[in-house]
């Protein structure tokens, strides 16, 4: 299947990669928590990692393995671990791989809850530098002997800054650092993580991967580009066998198993089903987002539109290279000062006022008063977030209906 196109591989992944029995076309959901072995020697071998198998479904189950196989195949990696949410994937991976006295470099434009989690890492004695990852020099300037990792998102939310992923990837190779990328905004269909030398991918499956706003999930995928023999924090217990697996083994044991944020087998199967149409949905979302952003850019009631697909976006050309000629499904705008943001949002009919993104439906959210409320006015202004800002996650509706909805809502303000 490796020579086939993206969606062909996806819709046939269960048959070819996971090979369910009895002619089942979907890999079946298995809800058993415990697993029986007729020979106790086999049970012991599975416990000791000498043989593949499942012993307790907090650590692994066949439904999770089936989803992990597909996610890993799409990235061409060496393995994947799934979690109950995107946040648990990020936090479990970082807690497993970092220790007191380590330094990490992270984007100053992080997803709000990831930004909040950084304060927990700081409390645990990890040094965190927040830098502008659109500028590789800002990353390079803060590197030191105890730097272990650089972490950034691909397209930041809500202002849509695009990280200079190619240059940062090169910098990480030069300095032998882990390069962890949150690709939630641009999953495999839009972005080839190995092209930018990313070592670990963190993804919220809740968003574009599952796609329908009815299931939570997260994943860590190892691209295989990082040499874990160079990483100082791998427990000696896990420095055994194939070194390409050391990092993921530690994330599985210290992260998934010990912290316990396991994805339920039902959710894993639901995500696998949603995943099959990911390319179709993302294609349509990106196309709709570009049409809407272009229309709003010249609208008399709009002050600014933030979308990488617009020629005046500071990283427009970088985005075009990185994301295969597409620019994602998220944009934000500032209404002209004096216009009533709440009346505008309350007037939208097709567009839903809700948090969340990467859905089949178009969603709108006032940013300063909701997801970035905890950050306070000073930090918001540093992040480029105005009080008039609305974030849109563009869905797959028919474009004329979306434009008409904006028009009638603008007429009310
Ligand atoms: C939503 C999101 C997360 C967290 O994912 P959950 O599944 O909601 O926990 C992490 N990173 C980014 C960029 C996100 O958009």
């Amino acid at each position: 299947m490796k020579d086939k196109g993206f969606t062909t591989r996806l819709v046939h992944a269960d048959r070819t990669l996971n090979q369910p029995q009895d002619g089942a076309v979907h890999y079946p959901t298995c809800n058993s928590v415990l697993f029986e072995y007729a020979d106790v020697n086999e049970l012991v071998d599975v416990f000791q990692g000498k043989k593949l198998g499942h012993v307790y479904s907090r650590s692994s189950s066949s439904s999770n393995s089936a989803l992990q196989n597909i996610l890993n195949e799409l990235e061409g990696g060496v393995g994947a671990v799934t979690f109950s949410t995107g946040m648990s994937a990020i936090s479990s991976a970082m807690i497993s791989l970092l220790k007191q006295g380590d330094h990490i470099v992270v984007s100053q434009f992080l997803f709000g809850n990831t930004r909040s989690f950084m304060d927990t890492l700081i409390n645990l004695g990890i040094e965190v530098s927040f830098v502008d990852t659109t500028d590789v020099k800002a990353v390079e300037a803060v590197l030191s002997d105890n730097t272990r990792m650089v972490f950034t998102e691909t397209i930041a939310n809500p202002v849509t800054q695009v990280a200079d992923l190619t240059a940062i990837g090169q910098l990480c190779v030069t300095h032998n650092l882990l390069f962890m990328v949150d690709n939630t905004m641009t999953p495999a269909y839009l972005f080839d993580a190995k092209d930018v030398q990313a070592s670990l991918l963190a993804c919220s499956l809740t968003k574009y991967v599952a796609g329908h706003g009815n299931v939570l999930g997260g994943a860590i995928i190892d691209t295989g580009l990082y040499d874990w023999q160079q990483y100082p924090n791998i427990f000696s217990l896990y420095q055994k066998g194939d070194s390409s697996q050391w990092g993921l083994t530690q994330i599985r044991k210290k992260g998934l198993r010990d912290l316990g944020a396991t994805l339920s087998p039902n959710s894993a199967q639901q995500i696998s089903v949603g995943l099959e149409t990911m390319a179709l949905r993302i294609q349509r979302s990106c196309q709709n987002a570009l049409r809407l952003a272009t229309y709003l850019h010249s609208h008399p009631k709009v002050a600014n539109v933030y979308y990488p697909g617009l020629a005046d976006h500071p990283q427009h050309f970088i985005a075009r290279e990185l994301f295969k000629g597409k620019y994602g499904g998220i944009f934000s705008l500032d209404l002209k000062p004096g216009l009533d943001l709440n009346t505008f949002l309350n007037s939208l009919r097709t567009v839903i006022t809700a948090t969340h993104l990467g859905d089949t439906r178009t969603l709108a959210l006032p940013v300063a008063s909701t997801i970035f409320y905890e950050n306070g006015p000073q930090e918001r202004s540093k992040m480029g977030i105005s009080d008039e800002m609305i974030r849109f996650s563009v869905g797959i509706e028919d474009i004329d209906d979306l434009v008409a909805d904006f028009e009638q809502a603008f007429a009310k303000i």
Side-chain angles (χ1 to χ4, degrees):
M1 278 285 178
K2 287 226 189 296
D3 57 330
K4 301 278 197 295
F6 188 85
T7 296
T8 309
R9 283 189 288 144
L10 263 180
V11 296
H12 291 279
D14 272 339
R15 289 173 53 239
T16 54
L17 280 178
N18 297 323
Q19 295 164 354
Q21 297 188 339
D22 306 324
V25 172
H26 283 291
Y27 198 83
T29 311
C30 169
N31 280 309
S32 188
V33 168
L34 65 162
F35 299 86
E36 179 187 10
Y37 291 86
D39 178 355
V40 70
N41 291 310
E42 210 181 333
L43 175 68
V44 168
D45 283 348
V46 174
F47 253 99
Q48 296 183 1
K50 291 174 188 157
K51 213 173 158 190
L52 281 179
H54 308 293
V55 292
Y56 189 64
S57 69
R58 170 157 36 76
S59 295
S60 73
S61 63
S62 55
S63 302
N64 270 283
S65 302
L67 174 59
Q68 288 164 10
N69 285 343
I70 302 172
L71 295 171
N72 181 53
E73 168 77 10
L74 293 180
E75 301 293 351
V78 295
V81 191
T82 42
F83 291 87
S84 58
T85 61
M87 278 320 302
S88 59
I90 293 168
S91 56
S92 302
M94 289 197 178
I95 285 188
S96 326
L97 294 175
L98 297 170
K99 64 181 189 201
Q100 187 178 14
D102 285 347
H103 170 240
I104 63 172
V105 185
V106 305
S107 167
Q108 71 190 39
F109 313 117
L110 286 178
F111 174 68
N113 301 156
T114 309
R115 171 64 189 81
S116 168
F117 174 65
M118 292 302 138
D119 293 336
T120 304
L121 287 183
I122 292 166
N123 266 356
L124 292 172
I126 290 154
E127 208 187 313
V128 183
S129 297
F130 298 93
V131 305
D132 178 354
T133 53
T134 66
D135 177 11
V136 66
K137 290 196 203 77
V139 178
E140 190 165 20
V142 298
L143 297 184
S144 73
D145 289 347
N146 59 340
T147 308
R148 296 284 167 259
M149 171 192 295
V150 177
F151 175 77
T152 188
E153 291 162 18
T154 55
I155 303 180
N157 146 32
V159 190
T160 72
Q161 297 95 338
V162 180
D164 193 355
L165 297 163
T166 308
I168 298 173
Q170 199 50 53
L171 183 74
C172 289
V173 170
T174 306
H175 292 268
N176 203 12
L177 298 170
L178 267 180
F179 183 25
M180 183 164 167
V181 175
D182 178 334
N183 72 337
T184 301
M185 292 293 175
T186 57
Y189 172 66
L190 289 181
F191 170 59
D192 198 340
K194 287 168 84 168
D195 277 356
V196 304
Q197 321 271 347
S199 352
L200 285 179
L201 286 171
C203 187
S204 167
L205 306 177
T206 315
K207 313 289 172 58
Y208 290 102
V209 173
H212 298 76
N214 59 356
V215 61
L216 291 156
I220 298 291
I221 301 153
D222 189 331
T223 61
L225 296 180
Y226 184 77
D227 176 11
W228 291 101
Q229 297 188 64
Q230 309 292 319
Y231 197 70
N233 297 352
I234 300 292
F235 287 81
S236 57
L237 188 60
Y238 307 135
Q239 294 186 23
K240 286 200 188 109
D242 177 5
S243 64
S244 77
Q245 295 300 316
W246 291 4
L248 275 189
T249 300
Q250 186 149 312
I251 291 169
R252 263 195 203 100
K253 303 285 186 183
K254 300 297 186 196
L256 181 66
R257 183 194 65 186
D258 296 0
L259 299 173
T262 306
L263 182 68
S264 84
N266 288 326
S267 295
Q269 211 235 18
Q270 211 171 333
I271 292 167
S272 307
V273 173
L275 179 55
E276 293 184 0
T277 54
M278 181 166 78
L280 307 180
R281 290 182 282 101
I282 289 182
Q283 222 166 22
R284 175 81 159 220
S285 281
C286 290
Q287 191 185 328
N288 281 352
L290 182 60
R291 289 276 300 275
L292 279 177
T294 307
Y295 146 73
L296 293 163
H297 191 53
S298 57
H299 197 284
K301 290 184 176 169
V302 175
N304 304 296
V305 179
Y306 307 89
Y307 185 61
L310 297 174
D312 65 357
H313 187 283
Q315 293 93 36
H316 174 65
F317 292 102
I318 286 185
R320 190 165 69 186
E321 287 274 300
L322 287 171
F323 310 127
K324 309 181 183 176
K326 296 187 177 58
Y327 304 95
I330 308 292
F331 71 84
S332 294
L333 60 77
D334 297 320
L335 286 181
K336 285 250 171 87
L339 292 176
D340 188 341
L341 181 140
N342 288 3
T343 303
F344 177 72
L345 287 172
N346 286 339
S347 304
L348 289 166
R349 292 284 168 264
T350 305
V351 177
I352 302 169
T353 311
T355 189
H356 185 46
L357 55 87
D359 201 77
T360 49
R361 303 152 191 84
T362 300
L363 312 174
L365 191 71
V367 176
S369 55
T370 61
I371 46 175
F372 287 93
Y373 176 69
E374 274 191 18
N375 301 66
Q378 223 173 353
E379 203 182 329
R380 279 201 299 273
S381 112
K382 244 176 52 189
M383 297 171 105
I385 297 170
S386 77
D387 290 347
E388 294 79 31
M389 184 176 283
I390 306 171
R391 182 192 74 195
F392 292 91
S393 167
V394 182
I396 63 170
E397 298 95 335
D398 297 283
I399 185 67
D400 292 345
D401 295 327
L402 293 175
V403 173
D405 198 32
F406 275 85
E407 281 289 290
Q408 64 81 25
F410 277 126
K412 306 263 166 58
I413 57 169

